[in-house]
Amino acid sequence: MSILSFPLDRGAWVVRWEPLGEAAPHVVKVPGGETVEGGLAELGAGGFVAFDGCLFDRAELGASAAGADASLVAAAYQRWGSGFLEKLRGAFTLAIWDQERRRLTLGRDAMGLHPCFYWWDGQVFLASPVLDALLGQP
């Protein structure tokens, strides 16, 4: 089963990564919440974008009204690289795993409207826009 094959519940995702191991980060779906269409998008082979929130500048990003925000973020990342966050306007938290570069990027809106919580014990890294989602992890 692919990690990108399920709908994402608003505010209910956790990125789990064990950087000392060989496995890539993966998204853990936490039950409950309002379903958000397009909260996950593929980013190349094995990469992903997890997105919670909304974008205000869809037209400036060259998007139609039908496109999912996570897909727009993936396109922005591919277009502008590490400077993509400066181009986004909205209220959001996001996580991007770039498999090719083996880079995990976490971000949130410039005004801090959406939180981004994380936990790191030297072996396992967890991140989520919802604190309870982290606390519920084993």
Side-chain angles (χ1 to χ4, degrees), residues 90-109:
F92 57 84
T93 303
L94 59 83
I96 297 176
W97 171 245
D98 185 334
Q99 178 67 27
E100 184 178 308
R101 294 181 177 94
R102 297 207 42 86
R103 177 183 302 158
L104 178 64
T105 302
L106 299 174
R108 67 180 196 167
D109 61 272

Side-chain angles (χ1 to χ4, degrees), residues 70-85:
S71 297
L72 294 177
V73 171
Y77 179 80
Q78 290 173 330
R79 182 174 179 189
W80 293 300
S82 61
F84 80 102
L85 274 172

Side-chain angles (χ1 to χ4, degrees), residues 10 51-57 69 89-93 109 114:
R10 183 175 187 86
F51 183 88
D52 180 56
C54 62
L55 294 174
F56 302 152
D57 58 347
D69 286 344
R89 303 289 178 261
F92 57 84
T93 303
D109 61 272
H114 258 253

